[in-house]
Amino acid sequence: MSSVVDTPVIATARRAREAAAELAPLPRAVRDRALLAIADALEARADEIVTANAADVERARAAGTAAGIIDRLTLTPQRVAAIASDVREVVALPDPVGEVVRGSTLPNGLELRQVRVPLGVVGIIYEARPNVTVDAAALCLKSGNAVLLRGSSSAYSSNTAIVRVLRDAVVSAGVPADAVQLVPGESRESVRELMTARGLVDVLIPRGGASLIRTVVNESTVPVIETGVGNCHVYVDESADLETAVRILVNSKAQRPSVCNAAETVLVHAAVAERFLPLALGALAEAGVTVHGDAAWCKAGEQAGVAVTEATDEDWAAEYLSLDIAAAVVDDLDAAVAHIRQWTSGHTEAVVARDTGAVRRFVARMDSAAVMVNASTRFTDGGQFGFGAEIGISTQKLHARGPMGLPELTSTTYVVTGDGHTRE
Amino acid sequence: MSSVVDTPVIATARRAREAAAELAPLPRAVRDRALLAIADALEARADEIVTANAADVERARAAGTAAGIIDRLTLTPQRVAAIASDVREVVALPDPVGEVVRGSTLPNGLELRQVRVPLGVVGIIYEARPNVTVDAAALCLKSGNAVLLRGSSSAYSSNTAIVRVLRDAVVSAGVPADAVQLVPGESRESVRELMTARGLVDVLIPRGGASLIRTVVNESTVPVIETGVGNCHVYVDESADLETAVRILVNSKAQRPSVCNAAETVLVHAAVAERFLPLALGALAEAGVTVHGDAAWCKAGEQAGVAVTEATDEDWAAEYLSLDIAAAVVDDLDAAVAHIRQWTSGHTEAVVARDTGAVRRFVARMDSAAVMVNASTRFTDGGQFGFGAEIGISTQKLHARGPMGLPELTSTTYVVTGDGHTRE
C-alpha cells in the first residue's frame, strides 16, 4: 500500500482492477447484454464518433501521414455499422468463463475442477486503428476481463469518443463503466507507466508493428503476449506436386501481402529446383512479386528473363509485408529445417510434399505457432480456424501460441470440494 | 547473429537450444530410456555424489549455516536412492508431448490439430536443494525440454557431480548430453546472464523463497513462471460446521507449516466468532501455533487465557512459514473476500461453510490459483491432485496456474493439413 499519490495511468489501472473484481462473477447473460448495448450504441451514436474521427484524420493529413495509414484511421457511418455488426458476432460465441477444463474425483473423495476464469485486467497497446478499440473491448468483456485501451495518440480523439459510447453502453447493462477505459495521456510516458503496472494489470497485448512489439516485450514488467510478427516460410520438398507448390506459394505470398501470415521466404529442394524455379518465377512475376534470390534463383531468373535481386542475410530475416519474397535452394529437407529454425519469427511455416515421411520429419522439427501441410500459410487466422474472433496471433510459447480466441483471454483456477477433508 | 564472443553462460544456453532441437522429435521411448538410465546411474554412482556433497556440507557448516538449510543440502546414499526412485515414477507418467489438445476438420476440409510440443529450453533457478537438480532435469526431459540448472552456489560441488552423472546417463540412451546442463559460474552475474538470454531460453522457473522469485520476475527478460509464495487464507463462514472448521484450520496451518500451501491467515464471520474463537484458540495452542490477532481475537485470547499478539498490516501480508497465524473477525463474507483480495499472494484460499450460496459467492470472488471448499489448504499440490509430479506451484495467471505438472512444461503448435488448399 503505497502512500504516494497515483499518477493518472495508475489510478486508471486501479479502477480497472476494481471493475474486474465486479465483472468476474457476472454471468454470461449480463456480459452479452452489455455487448448488445455496445452494438446498438455504436450505431445510434455513429455521427458523434465519425465527427471525432474527422479531427484525427484532418490532423493526420496535415502531418503528411501516408494514405494507407489514413485509410485505416478513417471511420465512416458504414464502417461504424460494420464494427457494431462484429460486436454482435462476439455475443454469439461460446462463453469461455466457467468452462471446466479438467476434473476428477481424487482417491480421498475430493472433487477437483479446473475452471476457466477471466484474467482480470487486460491492457491492449495498438496503433492508429480505431476499430481495434471496439474489437478488443468486446473480446475482453465477453471473456469477463476489464480492458485498458492504449491506442495511438494519432487516434486519440476517435478513441475518446468511442470509449465514451462503450462506457455508457456497458453501464446501461449493469456492468461497471471502468470495465472499459482509455489510458489517459498521449505521451510515451503513459505507455511506460502501463508497462510497469505489475500487480494491477494482468497482461499486456501489443498489436501492431515489430518495433512496437519489441518495445513492449523489452520494457514491460507486466506479463506480455507477443503477437503478430510473421517471417513465414514455404518449403517445397522434392516429393512435392510442383503445380500445387506454385499455387500454394503464390497464394501464401500474394493473396494479401500486408498481413503477418503472408509468406516471406520460399525454400526449394535442390532435386526439383531445375523444374520448379522457372514455374515459380513465372507465376510470381505474374502476381507482381519481386524475388530476392540466392545464386540458383538469380541464375534461373536470368535464364527465364525475370529480374531477381541478390538476397542477403537481411532478406532471410525480413518480414517484407509487401510483394517481395526471399528465395533459396536447399540441399535437402534438413537444410530447409535448419534455415527456417535460424531465421523464423515462429509464426507459420508450410511444407509442400507428397511423401509422408518428409511431412512427418518437417512437422516434428518446426518450432513455430503453426505448420501448414500442403496448404497456404494464409490459413493461420482465428476466423479461418473457426475461433470466431481473435485478439491477435501469438508468436510466443507460453500461455497462448497461434491465433488467440476467447479461451486465451482466460486463466484457470482449481476449485476443490470436500466435506471436511484434512491431509494426513 | 552477434559477432561478440559468447560468455560461458550464453554459450551454454546456445548448446541447450541446439540440444532442444534434437530432443524435441525424439519419441517417448528414447526419453524414458534416458530417465531409467539416470535412475540407474544415480544409484550406481551414489558414492561419487555423496562425496561431492560432503564438501558443500562442510563449507556450509564452516559458514555457520542454519541446521534446516544444511539438512536440505545434505545427501546420503539413502536420499540418493529415494531421488532415483522418484525418477522412475516420472517414467511412468503419461507423455504430454504429442497430445492433441483440440482438433477439427474445417468447412473447407483442412484438418486442424493443436498438438502439445516441448517448450524448448527451460531454465530452473533454485536454492540449496540438490534433489531439485534431479527432479527438474527428469521432468524437463520427460516433457522433451532441454534444461539449464542454476542451483545455489552453496550446492555447486553437489550439483556438478550430479549433472556429470545425468549427462553420462542420457548420452548412453541416445539423448544429447547438452539436454542437461549446469549453468557455469557461481556468481550473481551468471544468474543475470541467464535471465536476459531471451531467444535462447524459453522460460525461467524460479523455485525458492519470495526474494529469489521477486528478483527473477523483476529482472528477467526471459518469460518467467512465478512459483510458490503462499499467503493462504481460511475463511470460516457463519454457516460453517465449527468443529470441521477447527480441524481444517489446524490442518491448514500446522500439518506442515514450512510449505507454501500452509495457511497464514484465518478470517471468521462475526456471527460465529463468539463460539468459534475459543475453540480455535484452544486447538491452535495445542498445535503450538502463535496467533497474531485483531482486537476480537486479542480479547478472546484474554478470556481464554491464551496469549495473542496484536496483528499489524505486516501480519496480513506475511507468509510466516512457521507456527504463526494472523487472525481476524470480519463482518460478513464480502468483508472476508475484500480482505483476501487485498492481501493474498494468489496461491490457495479455503472456505468452510455449509450454505451453498455462501460457497458459490466466495468461490466466484476469489482470484487465486486454488479455492478449497470444506477442505484444507494443504491439498494444493501436484501429488495430491494426481499429477504425479510437479515442477512448482504457479501463482501467476498466464500459461500455468496452480500445481504445474508435465503438460505445463509444454507449448502447443497448430498442424494444419490440406491437399493444396489456398485461400480465396
Side-chain angles (χ1 to χ4, degrees), chain A residues 258-422:
Chain A
S258 65
V259 292
C260 60
N261 59 17
E264 306 293 9
T265 299
V266 55
L267 302 171
V268 181
H269 192 294
V272 291
E274 208 175 324
R275 285 190 296 134
F276 182 74
L277 268 49
L279 294 175
L281 282 166
L284 288 168
E286 197 175 316
V289 177
T290 302
V291 175
H292 306 251
D294 67 357
W297 280 82
C298 288
K299 193 176 151 205
E302 265 174 48
Q303 288 168 350
V306 176
V308 174
T309 316
E310 205 174 314
T312 67
D313 277 0
E314 277 177 34
D315 291 290
W316 310 131
E319 187 193 24
Y320 297 113
L321 299 175
S322 61
L323 286 172
D324 293 83
I325 196 163
V329 170
V330 291
D331 286 343
D332 54 20
L333 186 146
D334 287 345
V337 167
H339 179 107
I340 294 170
R341 289 188 75 108
Q342 181 175 358
W343 297 106
T344 184
S345 65
H347 192 297
T348 299
E349 328 299 346
V351 54
V352 188
R354 276 182 301 204
D355 179 66
T356 56
V359 169
R360 265 175 73 94
R361 189 168 178 86
F362 185 87
V363 169
R365 280 159 183 75
M366 289 296 100
D367 190 23
S368 299
V371 185
M372 297 287 153
V373 179
N374 294 321
S376 169
T377 57
R378 290 275 297 117
F379 284 108
T380 302
D381 175 274
Q384 292 292 319
F385 279 11
F387 300 168
E390 73 179 28
I391 194 99
I393 295 178
S394 164
T395 51
Q396 65 177 35
K397 295 187 192 174
L398 289 187
H399 186 70
R401 199 179 196 196
M404 292 172 62
L406 291 169
E408 283 73 23
L409 286 174
T410 65
S411 183
T412 62
T413 196
Y414 286 100
V415 179
V416 184
T417 305
D419 50 12
H421 284 67
T422 54

Side-chain angles (χ1 to χ4, degrees), chain B residues 56-282:
Chain B
D56 286 331
V57 172
E58 196 170 319
R59 260 194 300 148
R61 280 223 181 85
T65 306
I69 295 175
I70 288 184
D71 180 55
R72 287 199 298 234
L73 173 62
T74 304
L75 293 175
T76 62
Q78 294 72 33
R79 287 188 177 182
V80 173
I83 294 170
S85 158
D86 287 346
V87 173
R88 292 199 179 92
E89 284 185 18
V90 171
V91 175
L93 294 174
D95 187 4
V97 178
E99 186 196 346
V100 178
V101 176
R102 64 179 154 184
S104 63
T105 299
L106 303 180
N108 58 9
L110 276 178
E111 288 171 28
L112 180 73
R113 301 284 179 271
Q114 187 182 15
V115 182
R116 282 200 191 284
V117 294
L119 284 167
V121 177
V122 177
I124 316 274
I125 302 178
Y126 55 105
E127 295 178 335
R129 303 179 63 165
N131 63 309
V132 172
T133 307
V134 181
D135 287 355
L139 292 171
C140 288
L141 274 179
K142 178 75 185 181
S143 51
N145 295 294
V147 65
L148 290 174
L149 298 155
R150 210 303 181 175
S152 165
S153 56
S154 59
Y156 197 70
S157 170
S158 315
N159 289 336
T160 303
I162 291 170
V163 168
R164 195 164 50 222
V165 171
L166 299 182
R167 287 167 60 94
D168 290 350
V170 301
V171 166
S172 75
V175 167
D178 289 337
V180 182
Q181 292 182 89
L182 200 63
V183 175
E186 303 179 46
S187 69
R188 289 230 147 235
E189 181 58 21
S190 73
V191 181
R192 212 196 53 77
E193 285 182 33
L194 186 61
M195 292 193 294
T196 52
R198 194 177 172 94
L200 293 175
V201 180
D202 291 295
V203 61
L204 280 181
I205 305 176
R207 282 182 63 164
S211 89
L212 167 70
I213 292 166
R214 200 163 40 238
T215 301
V216 176
V217 165
N218 287 337
E219 297 184 14
S220 182
T221 59
V222 171
V224 173
I225 298 181
E226 269 186 86
T227 61
V229 176
N231 178 13
C232 303
H233 297 74
V234 174
Y235 165 61
V236 180
D237 187 55
E238 61 176 326
S239 71
D241 177 85
L242 297 189
E243 287 188 16
T244 302
V246 169
R247 277 196 302 114
I248 287 176
L249 170 59
V250 171
N251 188 263
S252 297
K253 174 69 257 180
Q255 196 254 348
R256 195 170 167 206
S258 65
V259 292
C260 60
N261 60 16
E264 307 293 11
T265 298
V266 56
L267 302 172
V268 181
H269 193 294
V272 291
E274 208 175 322
R275 284 190 296 133
F276 181 74
L277 267 50
L279 294 175
L281 282 166

Side-chain angles (χ1 to χ4, degrees), chain A residues 8-66:
Chain A
V9 173
I10 297 303
T12 304
R14 215 178 282 287
R15 285 196 302 272
R17 180 122 229 104
E18 285 163 24
E22 288 181 58
L23 186 56
L26 292 179
R28 171 177 181 162
V30 176
R31 286 178 273 127
D32 283 355
R33 209 189 304 144
L35 291 171
L36 291 171
I38 284 174
D40 293 346
L42 286 169
E43 287 175 343
R45 295 167 68 178
D47 283 354
E48 186 181 332
I49 292 167
V50 170
T51 304
N53 178 252
D56 286 332
V57 172
E58 197 169 319
R59 259 194 300 147
R61 281 224 179 85
T65 306

Side-chain angles (χ1 to χ4, degrees), chain A residues 1 17 20-21 24-25 102 104 106-108 110 112 114 117-121 198 202-203 217-218 220-221 223-226 244 247-248 251 255-256 261 313 341-343 363-365 367-376 378-381 384-387 396-403 405 407-408 410-424, chain B residues 1 17 20-21 24-25 102 104 106-108 110 112 114 117-121 198 202-203 217-218 220-221 223-226 244 247-248 251 255-256 261 313 341-343 363-365 367-376 378-381 384-387 396-403 405 407-408 410-424:
Chain A
M1 299 291 101
R17 180 122 229 104
R102 64 178 153 183
S104 63
L106 303 180
N108 59 8
L110 277 178
L112 180 74
Q114 187 182 17
V117 294
L119 284 167
V121 177
R198 195 178 171 95
D202 291 296
V203 61
V217 165
N218 287 337
S220 182
T221 59
V224 173
I225 299 180
E226 270 186 85
T244 301
R247 279 196 301 113
I248 287 176
N251 188 264
Q255 196 254 349
R256 195 169 168 206
N261 59 17
D313 277 0
R341 289 188 75 108
Q342 181 175 358
W343 297 106
V363 169
R365 280 159 183 75
D367 190 23
S368 299
V371 185
M372 297 287 153
V373 179
N374 294 321
S376 169
R378 290 275 297 117
F379 284 108
T380 302
D381 175 274
Q384 292 292 319
F385 279 11
F387 300 168
Q396 65 177 35
K397 295 187 192 174
L398 289 187
H399 186 70
R401 199 179 196 196
E408 283 73 23
T410 65
S411 183
T412 62
T413 196
Y414 286 100
V415 179
V416 184
T417 305
D419 50 12
H421 284 67
T422 54
R423 205 165 148 185
E424 303 297 309
Chain B
M1 300 293 102
R17 180 124 228 100
R102 64 179 154 184
S104 63
L106 303 180
N108 58 9
L110 276 178
L112 180 73
Q114 187 182 15
V117 294
L119 284 167
V121 177
R198 194 177 172 94
D202 291 295
V203 61
V217 165
N218 287 337
S220 182
T221 59
V224 173
I225 298 181
E226 269 186 86
T244 302
R247 277 196 302 114
I248 287 176
N251 188 263
Q255 196 254 348
R256 195 170 167 206
N261 60 16
D313 277 0
R341 289 189 75 107
Q342 182 175 357
W343 297 107
V363 169
R365 280 160 184 75
D367 190 23
S368 298
V371 185
M372 297 288 153
V373 179
N374 294 320
S376 169
R378 290 275 297 117
F379 285 109
T380 303
D381 175 274
Q384 292 291 320
F385 280 10
F387 300 168
Q396 65 176 35
K397 296 188 194 175
L398 289 187
H399 185 69
R401 201 180 195 195
E408 283 73 24
T410 65
S411 183
T412 61
T413 197
Y414 286 99
V415 179
V416 184
T417 306
D419 49 12
H421 284 67
T422 53
R423 205 165 147 185
E424 301 298 309

